Amino acid sequence: MNLRKRLRLYVITDRRLRDEIETVNAALEGGATAIQMRIKNAPTGKMIRIGKELRKITKEYDALFFVDDRLDVALAVNADGVQLGPDDMPAAIARELAPNLIIGASVYSLEEALKAERDGADYLGAGSVFPTKTKKDVRVLGLEGLRKVVESVKIPVVAIGGINHENVRKVLEIGVDGIAVISAIVGAPDVKKATEEMRKIIDEYLGGE
């Protein structure tokens, strides 16, 4: 399956809302195609232990597995890729150190998107599309800002930030390749059901497998 299809429903863990293992099992059962382990302020050893568990589960479902921020942890757990923000290791250096990893870049403006593409990112996580409480001091790109990014880059674009079952259609209409979700799935009473519903909407716009 090509990268664009494998990024269509990208679920990001958040331990403030739910345990990582529980989240990933239920999200993959519901049809998530990619998982990102996002753990802030945990010891590296703990991140590696959880990451190895998540790597096993994602392999069973043939889903992509990414680690947020940490190239060393991504390599240690044999992840498919790493997601890097503007303040993290530059994509070009990550590419030199780990030529086989898929490099995702988090971008918050058209300028950052174009730079990440030039630096060799394989795909973009572009946002925040809507205001969100998941991250502090988040910059809101908005639907129009997202449209400019999609129209200006050649690599896949995954939209992120405040996306839920009610507003996701507006995002998909712009022509993104995938949707990244935290609260609308990880914070839902039934993670599997929330994932199934989101996947159904995405498939309507992007076509089935």
Side-chain angles (χ1 to χ4, degrees):
M1 198 194 295
N2 68 28
L3 183 59
R4 287 179 195 274
K5 279 194 171 174
R6 298 188 78 183
L7 292 169
R8 64 173 50 193
L9 178 47
Y10 188 117
V11 175
I12 300 170
T13 68
D14 187 337
R15 57 181 28 204
R16 294 168 301 180
L17 299 170
R18 193 176 251 106
D19 168 78
E20 288 87 7
I21 310 289
E22 185 193 340
T23 294
V24 171
N25 270 314
L28 290 171
E29 223 177 295
T33 58
I35 297 290
Q36 183 192 126
M37 180 179 77
R38 179 188 274 172
I39 303 177
K40 302 288 184 188
N41 309 318
T44 301
K46 187 171 188 181
M47 289 175 77
I48 290 171
R49 280 196 303 280
I50 296 168
K52 285 188 179 230
E53 281 297 310
L54 300 185
R55 169 73 286 184
K56 268 189 226 160
I57 303 165
T58 49
K59 268 204 186 304
E60 283 166 23
Y61 284 87
D62 193 29
L64 289 177
F65 178 47
F66 296 93
V67 173
D68 185 44
D69 295 347
R70 297 283 299 273
L71 181 68
D72 56 338
V73 175
L75 289 168
V77 303
N78 195 28
D80 295 297
V82 64
Q83 181 74 22
L84 301 169
D87 298 326
D88 296 326
M89 181 184 291
I93 294 175
R95 169 75 62 233
E96 279 174 37
L97 293 171
N100 297 325
L101 280 191
I102 301 168
I103 311 281
S106 299
V107 298
Y108 304 93
S109 67
L110 178 59
E111 292 70 32
E112 285 177 2
L114 293 169
K115 182 178 188 307
E117 184 178 41
R118 280 197 307 274
D119 287 350
D122 294 300
Y123 74 93
L124 303 176
S128 180
V129 184
F130 304 106
T132 172
K133 292 176 186 158
T134 308
K135 284 181 94 172
K136 287 179 187 169
D137 309 321
V138 72
R139 286 184 273 159
V140 177
L141 182 63
L143 288 167
E144 278 316 302
L146 179 64
R147 188 188 304 280
K148 282 181 188 153
V149 170
V150 169
E151 287 170 354
S152 305
V153 300
K154 294 183 177 68
I155 57 177
V157 177
V158 177
I160 185 169
I163 301 169
N164 57 41
H165 297 76
E166 285 70 49
N167 62 27
V168 66
R169 289 176 178 84
K170 290 181 188 169
V171 182
L172 288 162
E173 280 164 6
I174 284 170
V176 295
D177 299 284
I179 300 292
V181 184
I182 304 175
S183 308
I185 284 178
V186 185
D190 185 332
V191 171
K192 182 186 171 192
K193 185 164 178 269
T195 309
E196 284 171 345
E197 288 168 358
M198 186 67 83
R199 177 68 191 265
K200 191 165 176 256
I201 299 167
I202 292 169
D203 285 352
E204 281 167 19
Y205 278 82
L206 301 182
E209 284 308 314

